[in-house]
Amino acid sequence: DLLRTFPMPLAPYAITDANSTGRRFGVVETADRNQFQRDYTRVLHSQAFRRLQQTTQVFSANLGDLFRTRITHSLEVDQVSQSVAQQLGLNEDLCGVLAIAHDIGHAPFGHMGQDLLDELMAEHGGFEHNLQALRLVDEIECPYPEHRGLNLTFETREGLLKHCSQENARQLGEVAARHLDGRPASLEAQVVDWCDAVAYVHADLEDAFLMGVLSAEKMRQVPGYLQAWERIASRMPTKA
């Protein structure tokens, strides 16, 4: 609570409004929020983000109301990545928008759906969910009469391209240049990538237990589970 009341200053290596490359189309600056908070709300209110509520994470939401969907998973990544960013002095708001947008390009049925679409679209360049995410925010979403797309900042758009072939990178231009010259992703994008893994590994394990796929006995066989259990048990009073 104290950290949120007195926010930590951003580190020199964080991305800020001051060192941002900006947007393709100019916008009127406002005093109530920064550029990445504006990106966050643009994605949050998009059709692409809402569509994630009907997309399965691992277990179908039709089987119960406790299982994660892509949208709840994205919100969990948002929370974890902003917490990590806060401690590292990175831009929490950029982490936030990258977190809620990181799965918007995914096809239904997970990687199986992507593989099938890639096969069907082979004669038209194939299908890759990172490219689809960029296509959604740059072209398909059209809430503004002045231009196509959500007109997000360069840093948000670049961060959505976690993977990109050299052929596609040459076609996309500057937003994909790092995939040609070997530059790493921004630290904020790297944090979201790691927090994505943290979120889904633990969430998938929990959902599997709730689904009955994993029993308590099987859980004890998961690498590292007993060590974690012992750390928690040592802090809890023993029942009589």
Side-chain angles (χ1 to χ4, degrees):
D1 291 339
L2 286 175
L3 285 176
R4 293 203 173 277
T5 304
F6 304 102
M8 296 175 62
L10 292 181
Y13 45 76
I15 291 176
T16 67
D17 279 19
N19 61 30
S20 169
T21 303
R23 305 176 189 275
R24 293 191 295 177
F25 306 99
V27 295
V28 177
E29 301 295 333
T30 61
D32 62 324
R33 54 183 176 163
N34 63 49
Q35 295 295 342
F36 303 105
Q37 289 171 332
R38 174 174 275 178
D39 278 1
Y40 186 97
T41 56
R42 290 185 176 203
V43 172
L44 185 71
H45 292 282
S46 69
Q47 293 181 11
F49 180 70
R50 293 197 300 275
R51 192 174 293 115
L52 296 178
Q53 66 188 319
Q54 296 295 336
T55 306
T56 294
Q57 178 68 11
V58 174
F59 299 102
S60 173
N62 294 330
L63 298 175
D65 56 5
L66 297 178
F67 303 115
R68 269 87 172 179
T69 62
R70 288 277 183 189
I71 202 168
T72 57
H73 161 69
S74 297
L75 293 173
E76 290 176 346
V77 178
D78 177 16
Q79 183 275 313
V80 177
S81 64
Q82 290 205 48
S83 293
V84 172
Q86 185 181 75
Q87 297 305 310
L88 296 178
L90 294 173
N91 191 319
E92 296 176 55
D93 299 312
L94 176 55
C95 284
V97 64
L98 290 176
I100 66 169
H102 82 280
D103 270 354
I104 61 172
H106 267 291
F109 309 108
H111 293 285
M112 291 179 61
Q114 172 170 289
D115 292 343
L116 180 57
L117 279 174
D118 188 44
E119 180 182 336
L120 294 173
M121 297 294 293
E123 297 182 0
H124 306 280
F127 178 87
E128 206 286 320
H129 74 86
N130 289 279
L131 295 178
Q132 178 66 6
L134 192 62
R135 190 179 297 118
L136 282 164
V137 301
D138 281 355
E139 299 291 337
I140 298 176
E141 292 283 335
C142 292
Y144 307 108
E146 301 91 348
H147 54 73
R148 299 187 66 82
L150 298 179
N151 192 28
L152 303 180
T153 59
F154 175 86
E155 290 73 23
T156 297
R157 297 170 59 240
E158 183 186 51
L160 292 178
L161 278 178
K162 179 180 174 182
H163 305 293
C164 186
S165 69
Q166 292 197 347
E167 179 182 356
N168 286 327
R170 283 189 286 269
Q171 294 177 4
L172 289 170
E174 184 60 27
V175 74
R178 72 177 186 85
H179 295 282
L180 294 174
D181 59 29
R183 283 182 290 115
S186 68
L187 291 176
E188 284 84 354
Q190 293 182 53
V191 163
V192 172
D193 189 20
W194 280 103
C195 291
D196 177 27
V198 170
Y200 75 67
V201 166
H202 290 82
D204 292 353
L205 189 66
E206 183 180 48
D207 281 0
F209 180 74
L210 293 172
M211 184 65 182
V213 174
L214 284 178
S215 64
E217 183 57 38
K218 288 182 178 178
M219 293 276 279
R220 295 188 182 96
Q221 299 172 22
V222 174
Y225 181 83
L226 283 180
Q227 292 90 326
W229 177 272
E230 289 170 358
R231 285 199 303 270
I232 298 299
S234 66
R235 302 203 301 264
M236 303 296 291
T238 303
K239 291 185 178 180

